[in-house]
Amino acid sequence: MTLKGGDVRQERIDRGIKVRTGGIYAVSSWKEIGYLLIPRLVLIVGLLILPLAVTNLYWQRVISIVGIYALLSLSFDFLTHFVGLVSLGGAFYVGVGGYMAAILNTKLGLSPLFTIPMAALGGAAICTLFLLPCLPLRGVYFSIVTLMYPLITARIIEALNILGGTDGIVGVASFPNRWVEQYSLFGLLLLILFGLRRLVNKDIGLVFRGIKDNDQAVKASGINITHYKAAAVFISSGMGCLGGAYLVHIYMWSGISQLALDFSIIPIASTVIGGGGTLVGPVLGAFILVPISELLRAFGTLRIVFYSLILMAFIIFRSEGLMVYAQRKYHQFERWVKV
Amino acid sequence: MFEAKGLMVFYENMLALNNVSLKCQEAQIVGVFGTNSAGKSTLMYTLSGIMQDIKKKEAMAGGERITLMGEVFYQGEDIMSLKPSQRARKGIILCPERRRIFPESTVLENLKIGGYLADSVQIKATLDYVFTIFPALVPLKNREGGFLSGGEQQMLAIGRALMAQPRILLLDEPLMGLSPLVQALLARSIKGIRDERGVSLIITEQYARPVLPIVDYAYILENGAAVMEGTRQELMDNPDVRAAYFGI
């Protein structure tokens, strides 16, 4: 661009501290350690303080639900931006995990301490098994097929009147108190978030991203991509099932509404808003979107209108996503230079 | 008639084009030669205005910031701020690198998309003309573009660009990946386009030899800067240039 005062352009430069801490010498001063740690600490401390800060009973329930949506968003972001499978089956994962936890709890009398991990792992295995036939699909075909899973499951449960039919499974045990519920959920969320961050930077993450960019080239390297895709679906659906199991124990009820498409769609919206491919972004997105949706309840039937408008504004004016923007501002500064 | 002055393009902080100026007279064939990453494609995108589009997309996606500077004059008018579609209306047509034909449309459909802005008489005349200079395309009329060979696809790409009634045709590496025989054939066709239709052409290539016989004037790009320019003979007489770009 040509300005009046001569030819100048805006340039972005990595902050000096970013360049230094990018290497392995980050521990040379407290300032540099702080630079690396502060964003992470803000996230961790923020999440851990949240249950303490929220005193209203209604909002306490909301933040538990937000945690579940954050898990789902994380799962969606991982599968979409690191493996290239755009899955709309979030509701299916939640449903499978939820029903499994409910059955384990009511039929076998297991406590949530056992049902939740069992539902997460067992549900992930079931989801992976069911999704195995559509793993060769790519792009929109995979999305459409995965979208069908929750719909089909809900109709089958309704029509055959199995698993409690439309009434669902009632009498699921709840958590001993809300501290256990929220802190275990947020703790797991943080654990999974940082775990995934490590995973995608390891060799297996490299293969995942290779599959996303060019699966033929990965095949040509002698790697069985179906194997890796199945592993990715297992990880991702495991997170969804975990969320579903929590949901069931929070509501003390498991039913068809756990297969509602909200669980497929809201994670996509929070990924878009938070910034896809950052992993932290979708979590942040869920923590913004779900409360907004609750706040908008004051508008009654117009809620969806305002919700959609906010979403559209975000996508049009910040289509890169909040986290991408924030990371850039944190790591780089801008200045005008003469050409 | 067509002139670029002091073009500068930054991809984030990387300088892709450094103060490049170039001129193209009426019905002249101008060659731009340079190695990989010399800035040839960037130059073509900037001249055709596609860079404006790329810049906007990158900004939306939070990618690298592209800074564009300089002026592009066409018949005395500064067109730097015009969108690619507006430039195409003025007759500045880009035939992009690696062809970018529509692989799922037939040859005829591909050509017709190119002629979208022209009137029906022009379309018919140009269609006939394209099939005259590229007779190889005639039997392939109804075949999908993606099933053509590399040389045929390139003919189709040039044909599609011709359908848009260019006054200036920007050919980005038209001979890339083709056999020497097809290269010579295409070079002759390109010269024919200039001779018969009076179109000005700007051609980029890495290896100058196949297009050398048809260019009137040439620029050498190195690391984004135009380090040398001259007529064909002037460049041929320079031993460094001969060794680096002409392979003679």
Side-chain angles (χ1 to χ4, degrees), chain A residues 249-324:
Chain A
H249 283 293
I250 290 171
Y251 281 140
M252 298 186 280
W253 173 76
S254 158
I256 296 180
S257 63
Q258 260 130 43
L259 293 158
L261 286 186
D262 289 18
F263 295 111
S264 295
I265 304 302
I266 289 178
I268 303 179
S270 29
T271 305
V272 169
I273 283 182
T278 54
L279 293 179
V280 194
V283 174
L284 203 75
F287 273 88
I288 292 169
L289 266 189
V290 182
I292 284 182
S293 146
E294 292 299 325
L295 282 174
L296 288 176
R297 278 190 196 281
F299 290 103
T301 18
L302 283 177
R303 180 171 82 104
I304 281 296
V305 175
F306 286 101
Y307 190 66
S308 315
L309 284 177
I310 291 173
L311 223 102
M312 279 156 72
F314 255 117
I315 292 170
I316 293 169
F317 297 111
R318 272 280 159 265
S319 47
E320 50 184 328
L322 285 175
M323 212 50 218
V324 179

Side-chain angles (χ1 to χ4, degrees), chain A residues 1-2 7-13 315-316 318-320 324 328 334 339, chain B residues 8 10 12-14 55 59-70:
Chain A
M1 64 202 82
T2 313
D7 283 339
V8 285
R9 72 184 185 93
Q10 215 171 2
E11 111 181 316
R12 282 185 195 141
I13 294 189
I315 292 170
I316 293 169
R318 272 280 159 265
S319 47
E320 50 184 328
V324 179
R328 196 174 64 226
E334 297 182 342
V339 171
Chain B
M8 291 191 101
F10 289 87
E12 205 62 77
N13 299 334
M14 197 196 85
K55 181 179 166 181
M60 286 290 282
E64 53 191 8
R65 181 175 6 220
I66 296 172
T67 315
L68 280 175
M69 283 175 194

